[in-house]
């Protein structure tokens, strides 16, 4: 696996891959990789000739009171994990390389971006769309892989790609859950051990409802 930091280096590697007729899969991440990320990499390796992974903690999708400065980072560990999973190219740019001085161009999907998570994180999905659009333009993948854990994000990225005529196939992949049922997330490290049962309560409750419906025929909410 080769690691690069510059847009020009990525484009040179992609050009070489495409000259060989390789089909390129892409997994954009913010790093501190877990098995959910690695399941996306696995799918790309299985379906494509070359797999590109990016690690970039994107400042434009964080609000002023959010955790950008303390978001977990460990690029050395991430690199080893990706190498062991047969990724071909790792792109780890700096903020300056991606945005540069005086950056003022943003991408936004109206309507969808203001609902649900977007209603309490104004500007979040504008930052997501901007970085994903830029990465798509840099990597030019045939397929890009996202998890259904972030369902609203996945739907917004699909709509953005369709409406901007970006020639990439967006693949939604199943949620990877930890042993207790909590969806794998880089931010799970924030959860104290004694609070873990609260974090998983919603998933356990919904699973119980599904069981009552599917296996016991119960339709009465009470």
């Amino acid at each position: 696996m080769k690691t690069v930091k510059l847009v020009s280096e990525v484009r040179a590697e992609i050009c070489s891959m495409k000259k060989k007729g390789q089909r390129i899969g892409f997994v954009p991440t913010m790093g501190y990789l877990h098995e959910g990320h690695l399941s996306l990499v696995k799918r790309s390796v299985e379906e494509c000739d070359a797999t590109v992974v990016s690690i970039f903690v994107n400042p434009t999708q964080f609000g002023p009171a959010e955790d950008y400065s303390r978001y977990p980072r460990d690029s050395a560990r991430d690199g080893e994990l990706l190498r062991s999973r047969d990724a071909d190219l790792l792109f780890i740019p700096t903020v300056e390389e991606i945005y540069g001085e005086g950056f003022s161009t943003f991408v936004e999907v109206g309507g969808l971006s203001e609902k649900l998570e977007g209603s309490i994180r104004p500007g979040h999905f504008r930052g997501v769309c901007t970085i994903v659009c830029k990465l798509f333009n840099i990597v030019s993948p045939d397929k890009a892989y996202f998890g259904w854990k972030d369902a609203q994000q996945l739907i917004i990225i699909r709509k953005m790609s369709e409406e901007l005529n970006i020639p990439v196939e967006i693949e939604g992949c199943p949620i990877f859950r930890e042993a207790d049922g909590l969806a794998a997330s880089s931010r799970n490290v924030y959860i104290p051990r004694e609070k873990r049962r609260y974090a998983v309560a919603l998933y356990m409750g919904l699973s119980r409802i599904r069981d009552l419906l599917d296996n016991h025929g119960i339709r009465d909410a009470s």
Side-chain angles (χ1 to χ4, degrees):
M1 183 185 74
K2 187 169 186 178
T3 300
V4 298
K5 296 184 177 181
L6 303 178
V7 170
S8 59
E9 293 175 315
V10 176
R11 287 183 166 155
E13 294 295 327
I14 296 297
C15 183
S16 176
M17 291 172 182
K18 294 204 168 187
K19 281 182 179 178
K20 297 173 186 174
Q22 292 181 324
R23 188 165 169 79
I24 297 169
F26 178 46
V27 181
T29 81
M30 291 206 301
Y32 209 71
L33 303 181
H34 51 69
E35 288 299 325
H37 294 118
L38 298 175
S39 70
L40 307 183
V41 174
K42 180 176 184 291
R43 175 109 171 245
S44 176
V45 169
E46 289 172 349
E47 296 181 355
C48 301
D49 302 305
T51 293
V52 180
V53 179
S54 66
I55 293 176
F56 181 66
V57 183
N58 176 38
T60 65
Q61 69 188 68
F62 288 78
E66 294 182 359
D67 59 340
Y68 174 70
S69 62
R70 68 187 184 98
Y71 190 87
R73 297 164 169 87
D74 191 340
S75 57
R77 167 187 167 275
D78 291 344
E80 288 303 314
L81 287 171
L82 291 170
R83 192 170 290 107
S84 72
R85 304 302 173 97
D86 297 323
D88 297 282
L89 181 65
L90 173 58
F91 178 40
I92 312 182
T94 63
V95 172
E96 293 74 23
E97 179 70 9
I98 290 296
Y99 289 116
E101 188 175 352
F103 186 88
S104 59
T105 302
F106 294 90
V107 179
E108 188 165 11
V109 175
L112 287 176
S113 294
E114 288 81 51
K115 302 176 186 297
L116 301 174
E117 184 177 3
S119 69
I120 58 172
R121 299 183 73 188
H124 169 68
F125 287 115
R126 183 179 81 155
V128 169
C129 287
T130 300
I131 187 58
V132 172
C133 186
K134 284 177 69 66
L135 289 169
F136 283 173
N137 286 331
I138 293 166
V139 176
S140 301
D142 297 286
K143 284 189 169 189
Y145 297 84
F146 296 85
W148 273 110
K149 177 180 76 71
D150 299 302
Q152 186 177 9
Q153 172 180 280
L154 173 55
I155 290 165
I156 287 171
I157 288 171
R158 277 182 170 165
K159 187 170 180 62
M160 177 196 74
S161 301
E162 178 184 344
E163 293 187 347
L164 294 182
N165 304 109
I166 301 174
V168 58
E169 186 177 344
I170 308 296
E171 292 285 349
C173 301
I175 297 172
F176 185 93
R177 296 188 179 277
E178 298 182 13
D180 61 359
L182 187 63
S185 170
S186 301
R187 286 186 169 101
N188 285 355
V189 296
Y190 297 161
I191 304 171
R193 183 181 298 246
E194 66 274 13
K195 297 290 182 65
R196 183 80 181 200
R197 63 191 180 95
Y198 298 115
V200 79
L202 181 59
Y203 172 69
M204 291 175 67
L206 291 171
S207 297
R208 176 61 174 152
I209 291 168
R210 182 174 60 186
D211 177 58
L212 292 172
L213 286 167
D214 292 347
N215 300 320
H216 302 280
I218 294 175
R219 295 286 189 273
D220 185 345
S222 64

